[in-house]
Amino acid sequence: MPQFAKISTKTNIRWALHAVILTLLLWIVTLQTAVAQDWQDTTVIEKTATEFVEAAIDTNAGSRISIKAGNLDKRLRLQRCETPLEAFTTPGADLRKGGTVGVRCTAGKGWKIYVPVRVSMVTSVLVAQHALARGAALTAGDVRLVERDVATLPSGYLTNIARLQGQALRRHVLPGSIITPSMLVQSKTIHRGQRVTLLAAGSALSIRMAGTAMSNGGLGERISVKNLSSGRTVEGVVRSAETVEVLQY
């Protein structure tokens, strides 16, 4: 009996120690949870930044957009904000290619932090189908649509083939190059020395006369034309490949 009592006592002591250790562990976990609740969740900060960028940028129809905030250090210790977080950036900032977004808490003592945000916007853009010469008038056969991340492009881009109508190239373009607005210039519909029809329209009648273009001009542009009947040089607006409307006669 004494030996059994001794074993029972040891067992009780062991269980008591286990109970004390378990209680201490539970207390530590509870304390850590309580302390953690006093710090701002970094995922909420990141979400606030990405939602701000998403609302600020204008995406093209058909674009696949991805916005991701740089992962903040989970050990970051900012007092948990009792009011909704606010995102901000410098006035006039263009966030279409990403950048830095400020996030702040205005409750209590307040705080603010700057979050890097990356933007990916995949869009179908026009690229040169083959080598294109300077001054070439572009057609649908000169280009094709390919997907590119336009957020990484240093300059502009085009998405609509109709935009090329009446346009020519300012410079030579290599195959596969993205066609940008800065590459284009209004193609010349009428050329210097070309025979044209001068149209002088009045309230009751219109007069047509033969003339010679004194300069090159595209649709809607003003050029000088010499009236072959009178010898006078007048100014007119190019209305077609053969017609110039006289402004004053």
Side-chain angles (χ1 to χ4, degrees), residues 40-54 67-76 78 85-87 99 101-104 111 113-118:
Q40 180 64 54
D41 186 353
T42 56
T43 59
V44 176
I45 298 176
E46 294 166 1
K47 183 180 179 182
T48 300
T50 56
E51 289 179 345
F52 178 79
V53 174
E54 185 176 3
I67 303 172
K68 181 175 176 56
N71 294 329
L72 297 176
D73 191 338
K74 301 303 180 184
R75 297 170 297 179
L76 184 66
L78 293 173
L85 298 178
E86 297 179 0
V101 175
V103 178
R104 63 190 167 206
W111 49 261
I113 187 172
Y114 292 91
V115 182
V117 178
R118 298 186 298 275

Side-chain angles (χ1 to χ4, degrees), residues 10-240:
K10 289 181 178 179
T11 302
N12 289 339
I13 292 173
R14 186 180 296 113
W15 279 107
L17 287 173
H18 287 168
V20 170
I21 293 173
L22 181 60
T23 301
L24 287 173
L25 290 175
L26 290 173
W27 180 79
I28 291 172
V29 171
T30 302
L31 179 62
Q32 288 177 337
T33 303
V35 171
Q37 289 176 345
D38 289 332
W39 304 123
Q40 180 64 54
D41 186 353
T42 56
T43 59
V44 176
I45 298 176
E46 294 166 1
K47 183 180 179 182
T48 300
T50 56
E51 289 179 345
F52 178 79
V53 174
E54 185 176 3
I57 62 178
D58 179 22
T59 60
N60 295 321
S63 297
R64 299 198 312 275
I65 185 169
S66 172
I67 303 172
K68 181 175 176 56
N71 294 329
L72 297 176
D73 191 338
K74 301 303 180 184
R75 297 170 297 179
L76 184 66
R77 294 294 180 259
L78 293 173
Q79 192 68 31
R80 181 165 58 87
C81 196
E82 299 299 331
T83 58
L85 298 178
E86 297 179 0
F88 63 94
T89 189
T90 55
D94 185 359
L95 296 175
R96 289 174 296 180
K97 296 185 179 181
T100 301
V101 175
V103 178
R104 63 190 167 206
C105 172
T106 57
K109 293 182 179 180
W111 49 261
K112 64 181 176 181
I113 187 172
Y114 292 91
V115 182
V117 178
R118 298 186 298 275
V119 175
S120 172
M121 189 186 303
V122 178
T123 301
S124 293
V125 301
L126 295 177
V127 302
Q129 181 84 343
H130 45 254
L132 300 171
R134 176 182 177 182
L138 293 175
T139 67
D142 294 324
V143 296
R144 59 191 173 95
L145 287 169
V146 298
E147 288 193 336
R148 290 286 187 272
D149 182 0
V150 297
T152 64
L153 298 181
S155 55
Y157 57 92
L158 297 173
T159 61
N160 193 341
I161 293 179
R163 173 71 171 77
L164 303 179
Q165 185 174 2
Q167 301 293 315
L169 289 172
R170 293 181 183 272
R171 59 180 176 81
H172 179 76
V173 176
L174 296 175
S177 298
I178 294 174
I179 305 298
T180 67
S182 63
M183 292 180 180
L184 304 180
V185 64
Q186 180 79 30
S187 60
K188 301 308 177 184
T189 307
I190 290 177
H191 300 276
R192 178 183 175 87
Q194 178 184 334
R195 292 287 295 269
V196 298
T197 298
L198 281 170
L199 176 62
S203 58
L205 53 86
S206 61
I207 302 173
R208 293 178 177 271
M209 299 158 285
T212 300
M214 305 301 292
S215 57
N216 300 330
L219 289 175
E221 292 183 343
R222 294 189 179 190
I223 64 171
S224 296
V225 180
K226 183 177 182 180
N227 186 326
L228 296 181
S229 298
S230 65
R232 291 178 54 192
T233 298
V234 297
E235 189 177 48
V237 176
V238 178
R239 297 305 184 193
S240 73

